Amino acid sequence: MPSMSPMQRALELARQAVGFSSPNPPVGAVLVRDGEMVGEGRTQPSGQAHAEIEALAMAGGRARGATIYVTLEPCNHQGRTGPCTEAIIAAGVVEVHASISDPSPNINGSGFDRLREAGIAVKVGESSDEAAELAEPHARYISTGLPLVTAKFAISLDGKIATRSGESRWISGVESRLYTHELRAASDAILAGIETVVVDDPQLSARDADGKALPRQPVRVIIDSRGRMPSDARVLSEPGTTLVAIATNDPRVHERLNELGVEALHLPGDDGRVDLAGLIKALGQREMTSVFIEGGGTVLGSMFDLGLIDKVVAFVAPMIIGGASAPGPVNGLGAERMADVLRLNRVKVLRFGDDVAVTGYARGGDSAAG
């Protein structure tokens, strides 16, 4: 058996499924019999086997009399695949250890109930915080139909995202940028405004430490109300899919975007700009469970003003930029009084080289742990 505990191994497997399993949650499962790991698995892409089924298949007959460790409550319904509870029962598993319950309306404890009815011992709660964080996009999506929306930005100690001339490469260090690519790879979509595309010309793709594009790419979503997408923008030559959200009715814009090989989403708001709430809803309807926003300040400001942000990842670099005209990360209307400011909860501080990353949540109660 590996030196790590069975549940820690299950969490490691779940991390390997992040991104690939969407819209299903990333889950890991490990089967242990007589102190030996006899099977393991992680959630496969949508429509394929769940983690428990993978682990049972590896174990074969050795699953009888075994204990299964799983990061999320086994499903108890017929979806694109059969119920995992029935497979566990049929295999002769005698005990189930699960980190958290599944908030899905058609599960929500019924999986545990079915296992107990079959005489299987059920224990819940081991490594629940880690498992809940892995499952948080699923929890948000399954309870609201909306993706988990994460805002990311990098700032200097004095709160700037660029110099007064607009130069911004690089505020964050190498380690922070590598972590950003991990966050991109874990997301179903990367979202940015057209100003970011025009000024910074980012790739908005998930890449490895050598700069090579990863096999799976999140969908790039560009908010471009008037359809100003440059024909030579780097996002257009990156692997994967690009969506452009527009507000204009001009047929020439639709035709031009089509010629550029991108899909136009017509989502006009009352102010002549893209309906941002409508955009997030539309992405949820496409079964996207996580959206990673990388700016710019106008998009982030509007998203915060509308209450559309669920989570924040803010990198802080040990530098002073200065200058009254140097931009900050969040524009929009903002709060008028301190009593109205958005205060994050469940805050963590991570270290990446000389940088720190402050992460936290704009809402409470959306975790899979309940």
Side-chain angles (χ1 to χ4, degrees):
M1 192 164 61
S3 57
M4 67 179 67
S5 72
M7 190 60 83
Q8 286 300 313
R9 175 57 181 163
L11 285 165
E12 185 178 76
L13 290 163
R15 292 186 190 100
Q16 294 173 12
V18 170
F20 292 94
S21 66
S22 184
N24 289 333
V27 179
V30 170
L31 273 161
V32 175
R33 176 176 163 179
D34 299 327
E36 178 188 359
M37 189 189 75
V38 296
E40 64 176 32
R42 60 180 182 269
T43 314
Q44 298 301 300
S46 182
Q48 300 181 37
H50 289 187
E52 299 94 322
I53 305 303
E54 290 275 300
L56 291 169
M58 177 184 284
R62 294 179 296 174
R64 188 161 298 278
T67 296
I68 190 168
Y69 295 80
V70 61
T71 57
L72 187 68
E73 176 184 4
C75 66
N76 187 43
H77 68 288
Q78 179 68 49
R80 291 171 178 162
T81 60
C84 290
T85 51
E86 298 307 316
I88 290 170
I89 293 166
V93 172
V94 296
E95 191 166 316
V96 173
H97 290 233
S99 295
I100 55 176
S101 62
D102 191 322
S104 304
N106 51 9
I107 305 178
N108 197 24
S110 67
F112 295 145
D113 292 341
R114 176 69 185 107
L115 294 168
R116 292 187 179 106
E117 287 170 5
I120 296 175
V122 176
K123 298 182 180 180
V124 184
E126 184 178 348
S127 301
S128 59
D129 289 345
E130 295 167 88
E133 186 170 358
L134 284 170
E136 63 190 13
H138 166 71
R140 177 70 176 157
Y141 174 74
I142 206 68
S143 60
T144 65
L146 303 174
L148 183 87
V149 180
T150 299
K152 171 261 175 181
F153 50 85
I155 59 174
S156 61
L157 276 178
D158 55 337
K160 309 295 186 180
I161 62 169
T163 66
R164 65 175 186 244
S165 67
E167 185 179 344
S168 60
R169 293 181 180 175
W170 295 101
I171 288 179
S172 56
V174 173
E175 294 93 337
S176 296
R177 298 200 296 276
L178 286 174
Y179 181 58
T180 295
H181 281 285
E182 291 181 24
L183 296 175
R184 288 180 177 181
S187 303
D188 289 336
I190 301 175
L191 186 151
I194 188 61
E195 289 299 329
T196 295
V197 173
V198 171
V199 174
D200 296 336
D201 195 20
Q203 292 170 271
L204 296 182
S205 56
R207 304 185 296 278
D208 63 19
D210 295 323
K212 296 179 181 177
L214 298 176
R216 176 196 174 271
Q217 289 293 325
V219 174
R220 290 177 294 277
V221 181
I222 309 301
I223 298 173
D224 184 10
S225 295
R226 291 178 287 161
R228 296 185 291 136
M229 173 66 71
S231 59
D232 60 349
R234 289 202 293 175
V235 294
L236 300 178
S237 60
E238 288 294 302
T241 302
T242 300
L243 303 178
V244 178
I246 60 174
T248 177
N249 287 313
D250 189 338
R252 293 171 298 178
V253 170
H254 290 256
E255 181 180 352
R256 177 173 171 274
L257 291 174
N258 184 60
E259 290 173 351
L260 291 176
V262 302
E263 180 184 353
L265 295 178
H266 186 228
L267 295 165
D270 295 335
D271 57 358
R273 294 185 289 184
V274 168
D275 175 4
L276 297 180
L279 173 59
I280 297 302
K281 182 178 180 180
L283 297 180
Q285 290 170 342
R286 291 173 178 241
E287 294 191 321
M288 296 185 189
T289 66
S290 54
V291 175
F292 191 60
I293 302 181
E294 296 210 51
T298 299
V299 168
L300 283 175
S302 297
M303 287 283 186
F304 276 112
D305 286 344
L306 293 170
L308 297 175
I309 302 295
D310 301 300
K311 186 175 181 178
V312 174
V313 179
F315 294 94
V316 183
M319 63 174 67
I320 304 295
I321 293 177
S325 62
V330 180
N331 299 333
L333 292 175
E336 183 176 353
R337 303 175 303 159
M338 286 301 295
D340 300 326
V341 303
L342 172 63
R343 296 186 183 276
L344 302 181
N345 58 78
R346 290 180 284 155
V347 173
K348 293 181 181 178
V349 179
L350 308 173
R351 184 77 181 263
F352 296 97
D354 290 335
D355 301 342
V356 296
V358 180
T359 71
Y361 296 83
R363 338 171 181 269
D366 284 339
S367 75

